Amino acid sequence: MSDPQFFVSQTRLSLAAVADAAGVVLPAGADPDRLVTGAAPLDRAGPHDLAYMDNARYGDALAATRAAICLVSPRFAARVPAATVALVLRDPYRAYAALLGRLHPDALRPGSQFGARGVAPGAHVHPDARLEEGVTVDPGAVIGPGAEIGAGSVIGPGALVGPGCRVGRDCSIGASASLTHTLMGNRVIVHPGARIGQDGFGFAMGASHLKVPQVGRVIVQDDVEIGANTTIDRGASRDTVVGEGTKIDNLVQIAHNVVIGRHCVIVSGVGISGSTTLEDYVVLGGQVGVVGHLTIGRGSQIAGSSNVNRDVPPGSRWGGTPAKPVRAWFRELTTLAKLAERSGRDDAEG
């Protein structure tokens, strides 16, 4: 159940409105005017809450739920209690996410931490910066000369938008995040502590290591989300690019000249070395490491904790260290397990 201190429901939805938003027909006998005022897990939901279920592990909780209405996949529909209205659909979680956003729109992106509108006292906006109407700048934020920020964007406390940076409309730059040498599209979310646009790690090695100037930019396209304390280095000789709709978790390192395609998913702890390309719809599991100058093909998925040291063909599923197609990886793991078991028996017999 949502914490009423932080996320107070800003609207009420009738069962008819819930069904309409989910794209299904309200079951016969359900009261279309009954109101939903919140959302909660199955085991904590009450008679005015929305819930969802799409995992067999929670079958018992579904059978005992008191929720007003439950979004449920077809295989579990029969277990919904009689007092709970069942909306049966193929992807209940996605529908639940959309409805939760209507109940709690403030949870969709970070807002002002000071409750301010406009430029708050204690913020520092250079006279040469350009802010459209409706921009919020919290105390302690710094907006550099020549920076441009679009309408509806929020710059959190202590955040930096450096000289010449551009932030599109309806963006959210979290507390203490920093942007330099960055051009950012619309509806981008940058969570607290992220660092975008700093030097890439480039040195000409020798008896003394000579720093290579990093003269590229970071280009962040529309609808990207960047997690807390993630770092994205600017390009050395070309731009570092994050494609439209890509979602990046906390504590990810993206090196200089990396190009990430559209709608990729990059989970926490990933490190991507310089000049690597991820094509559209790539998924990298947690703690994946990627060697530089590689290409991971469109739609490929890399299992968590894997190390990628060669190009990955489009549509592949790889895992392991070094990473390889999952069938080959599973065969290796099975063989090693059998060898270890056999060795254990031999030791016991000896």
Side-chain angles (χ1 to χ4, degrees):
M1 185 176 296
S2 59
D3 187 331
Q5 179 176 351
F6 298 114
F7 296 111
V8 178
S9 179
Q10 297 185 19
T11 189
R12 297 182 177 188
L13 298 174
S14 67
L15 296 194
V18 171
D20 183 64
V24 295
V25 177
L26 195 66
D31 179 2
D33 297 322
R34 184 178 177 184
L35 293 178
V36 170
T37 59
L42 291 164
D43 59 343
R44 297 179 61 189
H48 297 288
D49 286 325
L50 168 73
Y52 83 97
M53 176 359 179
D54 64 355
N55 190 320
R57 179 176 299 181
Y58 303 106
D60 290 343
L62 174 63
T65 191
R66 298 173 56 246
I69 189 166
C70 183
L71 310 174
V72 63
S73 53
R75 61 183 293 211
F76 303 119
R79 301 201 65 180
V80 178
T84 296
V85 175
L87 291 187
V88 182
L89 60 168
R90 292 180 60 184
D91 192 348
Y93 184 55
R94 188 176 180 88
Y96 176 80
L99 286 160
L100 195 60
R102 292 183 61 176
L103 289 167
H104 300 287
D106 285 351
L108 289 172
R109 70 180 182 112
S112 169
Q113 300 300 300
F114 190 64
R117 292 189 177 184
V119 178
H124 302 277
V125 179
H126 194 278
D128 293 337
R130 296 174 56 191
L131 277 60
E132 291 186 341
E133 290 189 15
V135 171
T136 297
V137 184
D138 275 351
V142 175
I143 313 298
E148 299 180 7
I149 302 175
S153 290
V154 177
I155 312 300
L160 166 68
V161 179
C165 286
R166 297 177 188 171
V167 175
R169 293 172 176 163
D170 297 316
C171 294
S172 178
I173 310 301
S176 299
S178 62
L179 275 63
T180 66
H181 310 89
T182 297
L183 305 180
M184 182 172 290
N186 300 321
R187 300 176 300 280
V188 174
I189 296 173
V190 178
H191 287 280
R195 306 291 181 218
I196 303 174
Q198 62 283 334
D199 275 10
F201 190 69
F203 297 88
M205 301 301 187
S208 61
H209 307 315
L210 180 64
K211 184 177 182 65
V212 178
Q214 307 289 290
V215 296
R217 307 170 297 182
V218 176
I219 309 296
V220 180
Q221 296 179 359
D222 294 348
D223 299 305
V224 168
E225 185 156 350
I226 298 168
N229 296 319
T230 280
T231 55
I232 304 177
D233 296 341
R234 71 176 182 264
S237 56
R238 69 178 191 184
D239 294 330
T240 301
V241 179
V242 182
E244 173 189 359
T246 283
K247 311 302 181 187
I248 302 171
D249 199 355
N250 305 330
L251 296 169
V252 170
Q253 159 64 11
I254 298 171
H256 59 193
N257 302 341
V258 168
V259 175
I260 297 173
R262 299 176 303 124
H263 305 291
C264 294
V265 174
I266 301 173
V267 183
S268 180
V270 165
I272 305 175
S273 299
S275 300
T276 285
T277 296
L278 275 61
E279 296 181 345
D280 297 346
Y281 296 99
V282 166
V283 177
L284 302 183
Q287 298 184 329
V288 164
V290 183
V291 173
H293 303 274
L294 301 182
T295 296
I296 300 180
R298 177 185 173 97
S300 293
Q301 300 178 9
I302 311 299
S305 300
S306 300
N307 179 268
V308 181
N309 65 359
R310 55 193 170 113
D311 290 345
V312 178
S316 300
R317 296 179 64 216
W318 282 27
T321 300
K324 55 186 66 67
V326 290
R327 289 186 179 182
W329 179 40
F330 290 162
R331 283 197 300 269
E332 286 185 4
L333 294 176
T334 301
T335 299
L336 285 172
K338 289 180 178 178
L339 287 172
E341 183 180 355
R342 185 183 306 166
S343 175
R345 287 200 303 267
D346 292 345
D347 291 344
E349 291 173 358

